[in-house]
Amino acid sequence: MRILGIESSCDETAAAVVEDGRKALSGVVASQVDVHALYGGVVPEIASRAHTEALCGVVRGALEGAGLTAADIDAVAVTYAPGLIGALLTGLSFAKGLAYSYGKVLVPVHHIRGHIAANYLASPELEPPFIALVVSGGHTSLIKVEDYTKLTTIGVTRDDAAGEAFDKAARVLGLPYPGGAAMDRLASEGDKNRFRFTVGRVHDAEYDFSFSGLKTAVINLVHTLKARGEVIEGALKADIAASFTAAAVATVCRGVERLYENGEKLPLVLSGGVAANSHLRKALSSLAEGYGVKLYVPPLSLCGDNAQMIASQGYFELLSGAKAPLWQNAYACMEA
Ligand code: KG4
Ligand code: ZN
């Protein structure tokens, strides 16, 4: 079964064709990063307009890349939640029009489930049940994947997402948006023990995450240093990046570690934009090794937003009977 996936929840317009949920035949991403970089973050209205402009070409590119026409595909899978509401509506409306005009099934896909499915493409042998850790610009969640379409949330962030904390820390250090990847590189050059940031914890929920304290702490540190006349450059800048990254990685790992400490035995599956972080990958790999569980990590190309992951999850949703009506709505929130 060949599924065309469409993704437009934030600042990437993406389309892809995936066969039987596991084999990507094509994948096209039009990134809006350059447009939003001017403002230091995603401007929702500009994102919606840019998706509208890019969708036709991106979908055509994905079909041509797979050597297919719209008539050849079996279904259209589209992200319906969560994300920027205007951005989601552009992709959803396009997918509805395409599905209706070609008489194809429309499959609604939750963006977080899509991120997890990136691993079905990267690791053909991976099957539920497993524990998924989703770390992205908008989300940080620990989820038990009991089956392809049966997921139970174990822990979530109570405030900011991991990626948001990376982006805000990068911004205060003067790195261009989105700063996650630049922070990763800068942190490799610095001394992580120079500044001590508190690891975020939520007292009444051991698997939940919190990043807002860490975000505020790094911003306050930089402002204080600047007020003292320090120039945030060179080794000082790298040491702040390294110290922040160590605390952010420890914050992500804390909930995961508690879960395995409490006896969890299932494999650990990483996903989301922040899954590209080399320091996090290293820390999770030694954590998994310590508890004797297998760790699945997607390739860098499937960490950030893409449509292969939406088409992959769309396949499993379709097998379980999920079909969207033409009045399907988009939802900004997680719980949709
Ligand atoms: O999954 P994604 O593309 O979008 C959402 O669904 O939110 O994640 C984007 C996030 C951004 O915050 C970006 O800075 C972050 O992933 N990111 C990284 C790295 N590469 C991307 N964060 C830390 N280290 C990286 N290497
Ligand atoms: Zn995402």
Side-chain angles (χ1 to χ4, degrees), residues 7 9-10 82 111-112 115 134 136-139 272-273 303-306 309:
E7 155 65 36
S9 66
C10 190
H111 186 76
I112 300 299
H115 268 301
V134 185
S136 73
H139 318 281
C303 288
D305 290 345
N306 64 84
M309 67 186 200

Side-chain angles (χ1 to χ4, degrees), residues 9-10 12 111 115 135-139 163-164 166-167 178-181 184 272-274 276-278 303-305:
S9 66
C10 190
E12 335 270 4
H111 186 76
H115 268 301
V135 275
S136 73
H139 318 281
E164 191 180 339
F166 269 100
D167 292 342
D184 191 348
V274 184
N277 188 274
S278 61
C303 288
D305 290 345

